[in-house]
Structures are given as structure tokens and as C-alpha cells.
Amino acid sequence: MRTRPMIIAHRGFSGHFPENTLLAFHEALKLPIDAIELDVRKTLDGVLVVIHDETVDRITQGSGHVSELTWDTIKGLDAGIRKGKEFTGEHIPTLDEALELINGKTKLLIEIKEPGTETQIVEILRRHDALEWVNLVSFHADALVSAKTMVPQISCTLIGGEPVGLSDEVFSDFVHTAFSCNANSITVHYSALNAERIRYCHERYLFVGAWTVDKEYLMKELFSIGIDAVASNFPNIILAALAA
């Protein structure tokens, strides 16, 4: 039984370091967190890389869709300079690189951004002997169904956005979608949650997470209504709020 919610470093320690980089993961591992979350997309030549957006424009000096760029092009981009000159030289890592660094030191949540990549993701997880410490998460229920078919023992989480909170009926439908894809848990925008909805999930033995929680008062509110996990860009702030 947990005595406090899981604290998940969203895209690594992304509040202070360039998101989804090895540096952000390395710094997150220095904190007493429970998990790291990252995002995966596929390059033009089939390499799985760790990046949230469809394009490289926001986080690098380059431009273009990840799916239309080769790994050789992407690995030459600077993924740190937009965060600050002191981070110049950080690159977009491959999923292999991230797994080698984290290596079971904490739990890892891998968001499947593109349905159809789950087969390759599972193959890489097997190669790294990582199935026991990885949880696959996605907005795409079909991707989770596919992953669970390949590896029934793997933990999976269905993600829901703000619209999930529009009504109790919409929230209930989302929960049943999670069950239909054999997810062990859900994670939704914090605005979609209240005590009754969390209780509804707990009565059905469903683990509930919230994203993206960066304020101390939000952490305290979520803790008071029974949240199981929070994802934060500033896990240091959330850890301090829990300690208080």
C-alpha cells in the first residue's frame, strides 16, 4: 500500500532542463521520484526517438516533421539551446539511449505518440530486459490493445485530455474505454478530476494519475481527494509539497 502518490518526472526534470533529453532524465534520477515519463516518435528511416512534438521546431534550431527527417539529421540538431545557452549541445536521444540511462533505476512511462510503433517499442524493451519496469501510456486505445496482445503482462495507461472532465457520463465512458483496452490505470488532466471520480475508479481497482501538476496548491488539492500519481515538470516542487 502506498502512503503517498507516485511522483512522475514529466519529460524528465523538464522544468529546469531541456525536456526529453538525457540530461533531463539524469537530473530527474537525482531526486526521490517514482517514475520518469517520456514520449516516442519514429524518424523517416525507422529510428525511435524521444520527442513530444510532431515537429522539431519548438525544441531545436531545426524545422520539419520527425516522420520526414532521418536520424542522421535529427541527431545533429541542438535540443538544449532553446532552453538556455548553458544547455547547448544536448541532443534528441533515441529510445535505446534513454533505456540505457534509466536502466531500471526508476519506473519509466513511455508515451506512444504514434499508433503502429508499439511493435518496435516492445522489441526494444525486450532487448533491454525492460518489460518489468516500463509502463506504456497513450491517448490511443488501439495502441495499448496491440501492446497488451504482444506482452499481456506489461502495464498500460490510457490518457485522457481535458474533455474527459466535461461530465460524469463522459468520464465514465473514458474509464470503460480503459477497461476495454486492458489498461491498469488512467491519467487525465487534473481539471477532469474530483473526489467522486477518483472514488469511482478506485471502486473498480483502477489507478488514477493526473498531469501536468506544477503548483504546490494543486498537489495538495489532488492529494486530499486521493490521487494515486502526478506528473510534473517540477518534481522538486511537488516532492517538497508532499514533505510539508
Side-chain angles (χ1 to χ4, degrees), residues 47-240:
V47 178
L48 292 183
V49 293
V50 181
I51 184 172
H52 176 270
D53 298 0
E54 292 183 1
T55 74
V56 299
D57 300 38
R58 179 177 61 86
I59 65 164
T60 78
Q61 82 284 22
S63 65
H65 284 75
V66 175
S67 61
E68 297 173 355
L69 300 173
T70 65
W71 168 235
D72 275 346
T73 298
I74 287 176
K75 71 181 179 182
L77 299 175
D78 193 314
I81 194 168
R82 292 284 179 87
K83 189 72 172 179
K85 291 182 179 180
E86 66 272 30
F87 303 123
T88 299
E90 286 299 312
H91 70 279
I92 295 171
T94 63
L95 178 57
D96 278 295
E97 289 177 315
L99 288 168
E100 287 169 8
L101 173 65
I102 297 167
N103 194 30
K105 298 180 183 75
T106 189
K107 293 287 185 181
L108 176 63
L109 281 66
I110 297 176
E111 182 174 344
I112 304 171
K113 303 298 289 186
E114 300 165 336
T117 58
E118 57 273 6
T119 298
Q120 189 175 352
I121 290 172
V122 167
E123 289 172 353
I124 292 173
L125 294 180
R126 283 176 170 150
R127 189 164 69 244
H128 288 269
D129 196 23
L131 294 174
E132 293 297 320
W133 47 273
V134 164
N135 181 304
L136 297 179
V137 305
S138 187
F139 280 96
H140 307 284
D142 54 341
L144 299 184
V145 170
S146 175
K148 291 288 280 189
T149 300
M150 289 182 282
V151 276
Q153 75 273 26
I154 199 163
S155 294
C156 289
T157 301
L158 185 65
I159 311 174
E162 292 183 55
V164 168
L166 288 176
S167 70
D168 290 340
E169 182 179 3
V170 173
F171 187 83
S172 175
D173 288 344
F174 171 73
V175 167
H176 286 280
T177 299
F179 284 129
S180 72
C181 62
N182 293 316
N184 310 86
S185 56
I186 60 168
T187 184
V188 299
H189 190 266
Y190 63 82
S191 63
L193 293 172
N194 56 40
E196 290 73 23
R197 290 172 182 174
I198 291 177
R199 187 180 305 112
Y200 178 85
C201 293
H202 286 173
E203 287 171 349
R204 290 156 179 80
Y205 302 100
L206 194 63
F207 190 89
V208 185
W211 54 269
T212 304
V213 182
D214 290 338
K215 302 294 186 182
E216 183 175 344
Y217 78 91
L218 284 175
M219 179 66 250
K220 291 180 177 178
E221 288 178 6
L222 290 165
F223 182 81
S224 71
I225 61 174
I227 196 70
D228 297 307
V230 295
S232 178
N233 299 317
F234 296 92
N236 58 321
I237 293 175
I238 303 307
L239 287 163

